[in-house]
Amino acid sequence: MNAHQADDLDTAERLYREVLELHAAQPDALHYLGVLCHQQGRSDEGVELIRTALKITPRHPDAHNNLGNIHKECGRPAEAEACYRRALECASEHHNAQGNLAVVLEAQDRLDEAFEAYGTLLQQAPDDARGHYLLGLFLRNHAQNMEHLEQSAECFRRAFEVDSRNLRALEALGVTLYALKRHDEARQVYRDWLAREPENPVPRHMLAACGGADAPSRADDDYVRELFDGFADSFDEQLLKNLDYRAPQVLAAALEGVLPAAHGGLDVLDAGCGTGLCAPLMRAHARHLVGVDLSGGMVDKARLRGGYDALEVAELTSYLQAHPDAYDLVLSADTLVYFGRLEEVLAAAHAALRPDGWLGFTLEAMADESGELEITPSGRYRHGRGYVERVLASSGFGDVRIQADALRREAGQAVAGWVVLAQRQP
Ligand SMILES: C[S@@+](CC[C@H](N)C(=O)[O-])C[C@H]1O[C@@H](n2cnc3c(N)ncnc32)[C@H](O)[C@@H]1O
């Protein structure tokens, strides 16, 4: 267990197996080996091991909770819910299981029950930083009025008060204060954070996004890495953020309209692949499907999810520039929103495509369609339709098709986006 906690998974696995050779029904070895198998992408084996452990010690709340986590992280919220409820039957004040229960209820869109479950957690454990943070996200995700946003900001503030390592709570606080039009307070959150951590790219970027410093022409690589490596670790946030997230589906549907019927013959690049949500949607078209992303944490998750022939940790523009004439299709869901100016990356995409190859990507839409681009207080950029058309044309693309669609929700509101397709001319 010491090796496991120190993340030395190979040693831990060998030792758990040695224990099981001596004593095949040792429940802790079965249970923790199950957790370890899941961490290494062998989730089915993990489920079986923990189920075996639970036959031997049926009233083990941690084992039920960990079994629930595997189901939750494999996208089976109903099975996860049943496990968390069993954990709570064994130990009614199991805070971790209570928080997890709230998350999977929210993921199943059972909002009243989820709200009640967060409430129970914070009644039992008023200093549970994760509970305050998750309730803050809940209130913000489903906000119906300003009061919900006010309460959400209070939750993020409290989460940071009880655990000052919870920097994601601080970032969420800044974004929420800005949404409440408390702009000076939002900027002050980032200034204080920068004073404590002058090298941290997150508050630097967010301060600029709130107009407190000059906006960069593109989110810098350190910011993207820091943001997404942290995000990759949190299955809860991924699960909850993806509730109304449709960019991969909407982009794939638009591409179906221009690509030949799926014949598995294309060389495809998923540019900014994240945790790999586009892979299953594009797999049938691909002879060779490559995912590239700047965040090693996200690429690790994409590797566990599977579906790619190759995955690379690299900056997108340089990667495209290094692979001329290599792809029949380049797609990029919700990634160019971290790029301000698009000239360089679209020229690189053009060069990486073969003649007749398609490029497909999503952007957030600037309300003023004639504007070029703007950075928003969420840290992402919005682009004007005319600007996108001009850059595509000057990069050599033709047959440009841009449709408006809502790609996600933020603070209870649909975020307007563009779904863009363009073809490299023969
Ligand atoms: C919001 S996620 C979207 C991921 C995935 N396409 C999806 O739809 O689920 C954006 C991804 O873009 C990646 N990214 C942003 N800027 C990048 C860059 N310059 N080079 C490579 N990856 C980048 C981030 O690391 C992150 O994983």
Side-chain angles (χ1 to χ4, degrees):
M1 285 167 69
N2 276 335
H4 196 169
Q5 276 159 9
D7 237 8
D8 180 359
L9 299 188
D10 292 339
T11 306
E13 174 158 9
R14 183 172 51 75
L15 293 170
Y16 288 139
R17 290 199 189 280
E18 271 179 37
V19 173
L20 292 171
E21 265 169 37
L22 295 171
H23 181 5
Q26 211 293 326
D28 287 340
L30 288 164
H31 166 194
Y32 293 119
L33 180 59
V35 172
L36 184 147
C37 284
H38 167 64
Q39 285 172 302
Q40 292 187 320
R42 291 175 280 140
S43 303
D44 292 346
E45 192 181 344
V47 166
E48 277 320 305
L49 283 160
I50 302 183
R51 282 194 179 135
T52 310
L54 281 166
K55 281 189 192 132
I56 303 158
T57 49
R59 293 196 59 79
H60 195 314
D62 290 342
H64 286 295
N65 185 49
N66 282 326
L67 183 56
N69 287 342
I70 301 183
H71 288 307
K72 174 176 71 159
E73 290 163 17
C74 291
R76 298 186 289 266
E79 279 99 324
E81 178 189 345
C83 295
Y84 298 136
R85 291 200 186 279
R86 270 180 230 119
L88 291 165
E89 274 163 29
C90 306
S92 63
E93 298 224 349
H94 196 292
H95 302 154
N96 208 290
Q98 183 67 36
N100 289 329
L101 175 64
V103 167
V104 294
L105 288 170
E106 185 178 349
Q108 294 174 89
D109 224 13
R110 286 156 58 192
L111 301 187
D112 291 343
E113 290 170 83
F115 184 61
E116 202 178 312
Y118 286 123
T120 306
L121 170 62
L122 291 172
Q123 235 170 20
Q124 290 173 353
D127 286 341
D128 189 291
R130 174 180 175 236
H132 287 287
Y133 178 61
L134 289 173
L135 179 57
L137 289 181
F138 175 91
L139 290 164
R140 197 173 71 185
N141 286 343
H142 308 287
Q144 279 157 4
N145 51 44
M146 288 310 228
E147 202 182 317
H148 291 154
L149 284 184
E150 297 279 358
Q151 290 164 352
S152 145
E154 275 323 298
C155 289
F156 294 136
R157 202 184 287 285
R158 185 90 188 100
F160 182 66
E161 267 166 23
V162 286
D163 179 4
S164 61
R165 290 162 310 171
N166 192 345
L167 296 174
R168 300 192 67 76
L170 209 50
E171 187 193 352
L173 174 62
V175 170
T176 312
L177 287 171
Y178 204 90
L180 282 162
K181 308 213 182 323
R182 289 156 63 181
H183 297 177
D184 288 344
E185 284 175 74
R187 287 191 275 263
Q188 201 52 47
V189 166
Y190 300 128
R191 285 205 180 94
D192 292 346
W193 183 357
L194 256 184
R196 278 199 309 275
E197 289 186 59
E199 301 303 320
N200 192 323
V202 175
R204 208 182 326 126
H205 181 87
M206 295 307 285
L207 185 58
C210 284
D214 286 343
S217 69
R218 205 192 87 182
D220 83 35
D221 292 357
D222 288 344
Y223 166 73
V224 170
R225 232 179 263 120
E226 183 80 21
L227 180 72
F228 284 97
D229 281 351
F231 184 59
D233 285 341
S234 168
F235 278 102
D236 293 344
E237 285 171 67
Q238 269 183 54
L239 189 70
L240 300 178
K241 180 170 173 275
N242 286 335
L243 286 182
D244 291 309
Y245 175 60
R246 308 163 57 230
Q249 287 76 9
V250 171
L251 180 58
L255 283 166
E256 291 301 333
V258 296
L259 293 176
H263 56 79
L266 304 182
D267 290 329
V268 181
L269 178 69
D270 183 359
C273 62
T275 60
L277 294 177
C278 291
L281 305 172
M282 298 322 297
R283 189 63 256 183
H285 287 282
R287 183 174 71 89
H288 193 69
L289 177 60
V290 179
V292 60
D293 202 286
L294 195 48
S295 155
M298 294 298 252
V299 166
D300 287 345
K301 296 291 176 240
R303 191 166 290 118
L304 285 180
R305 192 190 292 270
Y308 292 95
D309 298 301
L311 281 162
E312 306 260 357
V313 178
E315 197 288 312
L316 194 55
T317 310
S318 333
Y319 183 88
L320 289 164
Q321 286 165 343
H323 294 80
D325 282 312
Y327 293 100
D328 305 299
L329 168 64
V330 172
L331 73 149
S332 185
D334 204 35
T335 294
L336 299 188
V337 296
Y338 292 96
F339 287 64
R341 301 215 68 84
L342 296 173
E343 286 80 354
E344 201 184 359
V345 67
L346 293 185
H350 186 269
L353 281 167
R354 298 183 181 130
D356 287 330
W358 281 95
L359 169 68
F361 57 96
T362 64
L363 293 170
E364 287 187 13
M366 204 169 154
D368 171 8
E369 291 194 15
S370 62
E372 290 200 332
L373 57 113
E374 62 187 357
I375 191 165
T376 70
S378 64
R380 294 191 292 272
Y381 292 84
R382 292 193 194 121
H383 294 87
R385 182 197 283 255
Y387 169 70
V388 178
E389 283 167 348
R390 282 195 300 283
V391 180
L392 283 167
S394 63
S395 315
F397 284 99
D399 204 354
V400 173
R401 304 165 189 214
I402 302 186
Q403 89 201 33
D405 211 324
L407 303 174
R408 65 158 84 245
R409 293 177 71 79
E410 203 171 82
Q413 307 282 322
V415 174
W418 304 126
V419 183
V420 186
L421 305 182
Q423 190 175 32
R424 176 171 173 170
Q425 298 306 287

